[in-house]
Amino acid sequence: VADIWMHVWQMACRVDQVAEVGDSVLYQIADRSYIVVRSDEQTIKAFPNTCLHRGRTLRERDGKLARLRCPYHAFTWALDGSFLEAPAIWDFDQCDEDLRMPEARVGVWGGCVFINPDPDAEPLRDFLGDIDRHFERCGYDDWSLSLHTAKETASNWKELVEGFVESHHVFATHPQAMFGSDPGNCQYDFWPNLARIILPM
């Protein structure tokens, strides 16, 4: 987790899932959880889903928020991450800025919200380079989410992903797909931060 997922851009949700101020989505990667929230009309932020006081999980599900409030000791933050209040605050000598929520970097491309926990990560736009020219006919900005499913597997995630990013398994695993596609004649292209498979269909 620390060597990979804490330093790479990863898609967390679609923009339409956080379209209005206060809309939030929980994004889980390995044992880390982030709250992606629309903090104002122009801004989407991502915070670790952990209270700064005792480390308790702040949110259990997606939903509308007016603020981030820990269900354990009621430490409370505004949607921009600034500290608001806590009961018996006189017992804590930290200043408000010390209690500000840490943020993951956020970028948007193709209607997708990406986060990167590394505060020193290059901007998403720089990381993606000239990706737009490869997808200019797809119109991803106009797409919307109609269904989200997830499945947990007892497997090595790297082997699982590797199995799905090549087409040769289609012959034996998904032979029904061969009626409308040609998995034996795919084109694979690689760039520093991008890869593409063109499957004749």
Side-chain angles (χ1 to χ4, degrees):
V1 173
D3 292 337
I4 298 177
W5 300 116
M6 298 304 291
H7 301 285
V8 69
W9 285 101
Q10 47 209 287
M11 183 187 150
C13 64
R14 293 281 303 170
V15 170
D16 54 303
Q17 292 178 269
V18 288
E20 298 180 9
V21 174
D23 287 349
S24 75
V25 170
L26 286 185
Y27 173 66
Q28 181 88 25
I29 184 68
D31 61 351
R32 306 294 173 102
S33 177
Y34 294 87
I35 302 167
V36 181
V37 62
R38 171 76 65 171
S39 60
D40 62 45
E41 291 182 0
Q42 288 80 39
T43 311
I44 300 170
K45 291 190 174 275
F47 305 107
N49 188 18
T50 307
C51 181
L52 299 182
H53 175 220
R54 288 286 180 91
R56 196 223 191 259
T57 298
L58 292 171
R59 297 280 298 168
E60 302 286 344
R61 60 184 177 273
D62 302 348
K64 196 80 164 177
L65 298 173
R67 57 196 179 160
L68 294 169
R69 184 175 187 268
C70 180
Y72 190 35
H73 286 128
F75 275 61
T76 306
W77 291 266
L79 297 182
D80 67 357
S82 58
F83 179 70
L84 290 177
E85 62 185 4
I89 193 60
W90 50 265
D91 208 18
F92 300 90
D93 59 4
Q94 300 96 331
C95 67
D96 287 356
E97 202 54 39
D98 289 338
L99 290 172
R100 183 175 185 84
M101 287 295 290
E103 297 181 34
R105 298 204 65 174
V106 175
V108 175
W109 178 83
C112 298
V113 178
F114 290 79
I115 72 165
N116 190 325
D118 185 350
D120 298 321
E122 63 184 320
L124 177 66
R125 178 52 58 188
D126 294 346
F127 177 82
L128 293 177
D130 67 345
I131 193 172
D132 291 337
R133 74 181 176 94
H134 301 290
F135 295 96
E136 59 190 5
R137 293 185 297 167
C138 295
Y140 284 147
D141 286 313
D142 300 324
W143 290 24
S144 62
L145 182 68
S146 62
L147 177 69
H148 177 253
T149 62
K151 180 177 177 120
E152 289 188 21
T153 64
S155 65
N156 180 307
W157 69 268
K158 295 182 284 289
E159 289 185 6
L160 188 68
V161 169
E162 186 175 294
F164 278 93
V165 295
E166 52 83 10
S167 62
H168 304 294
H169 73 280
V170 174
F171 296 102
T173 309
H174 313 289
Q176 68 276 15
M178 293 176 60
F179 291 110
S181 65
D182 184 5
N185 287 296
C186 292
Q187 175 179 318
Y188 294 85
D189 298 306
F190 300 93
W191 293 273
N193 293 327
L194 309 172
R196 177 181 65 187
I197 303 172
I198 299 176
L199 173 64
M201 301 185 77

